[in-house]
């Protein structure tokens, strides 16, 4: 077997996304043949090297799991529990494999979240080149006016970059639907705030063409092959304004 960069090898083994694997390595949680390695570009060979994360041996090939979850409010997207807070993986009590969330939803956001142990898959969904559009339903304190819609559609500065929604539509009174392509932290809340709106509820309802559908809050189900295709199939429900 060829030699691989440590971060890439860990992602392929299903530890986390490539980026998150780099952080795990920087944090000194990875050992190669008993020695802590903090360099993501360190090369390893699965045949001859013994790799462990947090003291647990990692195998090159692990069975891959793919789930969609209807995340309830109050759960955090992280593998490391901050204090006594609830984390999304608490909703998967039977899972023995090392699962992680594909991207993040805020603690106060509910809705469609993918959970897997396949780092390649997670990268593909998250990477901007995949152009996967996410749809959110936002409930606000105020009634949505044409001025609000105009400001929302302009977008906002998020993390040093201007983020412009793919589309924004009023549903009724204080509810609107927004589609975004970026995956930036708090992006929808920041866009709403710039328009002078106070968000009461934020729910992700779609990723690509995969919809949350009737999945109950806190429930999850395995993704079918068709679901995985839907994630990456082009979307006609959001048209660039
Ligand atoms: N945008 C947000 O503001 N929050 C989320 O949880 C997801 C997208």
């Amino acid at each position: 077997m060829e030699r691989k960069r440590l971060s890439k090898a860990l992602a392929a083994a299903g530890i986390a996304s490539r980026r998150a694997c780099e952080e795990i390595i920087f944090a000194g949680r990875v050992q190669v043949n008993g020695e802590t390695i903090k360099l993501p570009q360190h090369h390893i060979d699965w045949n001859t090297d013994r790799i462990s994360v947090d003291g647990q041996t990692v195998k090159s090939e692990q069975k891959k799991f793919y789930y969609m979850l209807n995340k309830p409010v109050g759960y955090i997207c992280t593998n490391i529990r901050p204090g006594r807070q609830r984390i999304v993986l608490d909703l998967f009590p039977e899972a023995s494999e090392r699962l992680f969330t594909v991207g993040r939803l805020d603690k106060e956001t509910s809705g469609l979240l993918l959970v897997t142990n396949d780092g390649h898959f997670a990268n593909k969904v998250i990477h901007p080149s995949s152009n996967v559009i996410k749809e959110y339903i936002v409930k606000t304190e105020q009634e949505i006016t044409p001025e609000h819609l105009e400001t929302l559609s302009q977008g906002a500065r998020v993390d040093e970059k201007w983020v412009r929604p793919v589309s924004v539509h009023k549903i009724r009174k204080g509810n609107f639907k927004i589609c975004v392509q970026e995956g930036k932290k708090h992006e929808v809340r920041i866009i709403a705030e710039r328009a002078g709106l106070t968000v009461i509820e934020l729910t992700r309802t779609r990723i690509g063409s995969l919809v949350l559908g009737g999945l109950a809050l806190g429930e999850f189900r395995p993704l079918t092959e068709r679901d995985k295709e839907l994630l990456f199939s082009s979307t006609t429900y959001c048209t660039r304004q």
Side-chain angles (χ1 to χ4, degrees):
M1 205 184 274
E2 76 202 281
R3 288 170 70 75
K4 282 190 176 151
R5 279 169 59 107
L6 183 55
S7 53
K8 198 172 169 193
L10 290 178
I15 298 302
S17 66
R18 184 97 56 89
R19 189 73 210 287
C21 283
E22 287 180 359
E23 282 165 14
I24 290 171
I25 296 166
F26 288 138
R29 294 167 55 195
V30 179
Q31 293 194 313
V32 178
N33 303 322
E35 188 192 341
T36 300
I37 300 292
K38 291 192 174 179
L39 272 184
Q41 60 270 36
H42 180 91
H43 278 80
I44 60 111
D45 182 337
W46 285 115
N47 284 329
T48 52
D49 292 322
R50 191 168 39 81
I51 324 292
S52 61
V53 177
D54 296 335
Q56 277 188 310
T57 303
V58 177
K59 296 197 203 86
S60 65
E61 287 300 331
Q62 290 181 351
K63 186 169 164 28
K64 301 293 190 281
F65 294 89
Y66 307 89
Y67 299 106
M68 58 185 277
L69 165 76
N70 187 352
K71 176 194 173 296
V73 164
Y75 286 80
I76 304 177
C77 294
T78 176
N79 282 57
I80 304 163
R81 186 185 307 280
R84 297 162 71 93
Q85 302 205 55
R86 287 176 296 182
I87 62 173
V88 163
L89 298 180
D90 292 339
L91 298 164
F92 294 77
E94 309 291 328
S96 54
E97 63 280 1
R98 200 182 253 277
L99 297 173
F100 55 90
T101 66
V102 178
R104 288 179 181 185
L105 288 179
D106 297 337
K107 183 177 173 187
E108 300 311 322
T109 303
S110 60
L112 180 56
L113 183 66
L114 303 175
V115 177
T116 185
N117 63 344
D118 183 344
H120 279 317
F121 168 77
N123 267 325
K124 206 172 148 205
V125 177
I126 296 167
H127 202 273
S129 66
S130 299
N131 296 330
V132 175
I133 294 172
K134 278 81 64 179
E135 178 193 86
Y136 296 84
I137 305 286
V138 191
K139 187 172 171 191
T140 62
E141 237 171 60
Q142 300 83 354
E143 168 139 16
I144 310 294
T145 63
E147 291 72 32
H148 286 134
L149 288 176
E150 171 56 29
T151 315
L152 287 168
S153 64
Q154 289 165 2
R157 180 173 289 280
V158 186
D159 275 354
E160 307 295 302
K161 189 176 174 271
W162 196 267
V163 172
R164 192 170 159 247
V166 176
S167 67
V168 184
H169 296 286
K170 178 171 175 173
I171 302 172
R172 73 186 101 77
K173 290 189 177 159
N175 290 263
F176 70 93
K177 182 165 96 176
I178 183 167
C179 293
V180 288
Q181 204 157 32
E182 292 77 4
K184 297 211 174 283
K185 205 171 172 186
H186 308 318
E187 60 188 340
V188 173
R189 292 176 195 275
I190 293 169
I191 292 168
E193 194 179 320
R194 179 174 176 270
L197 293 165
T198 311
V199 174
I200 304 172
E201 273 174 39
L202 177 57
T203 305
R204 181 155 68 188
T205 46
R206 198 188 291 252
I207 303 175
S209 295
L210 179 68
V211 293
L212 182 58
L215 198 59
L217 215 50
E219 297 279 296
F220 62 86
R221 68 165 177 82
L223 289 183
T224 62
E225 288 307 312
R226 174 75 185 132
D227 291 332
K228 284 190 230 165
E229 279 169 23
L230 285 172
L231 279 173
F232 299 105
S233 71
S234 65
T235 49
T236 51
Y237 61 91
C238 291
T239 40
R240 175 76 67 183
Q241 292 171 321

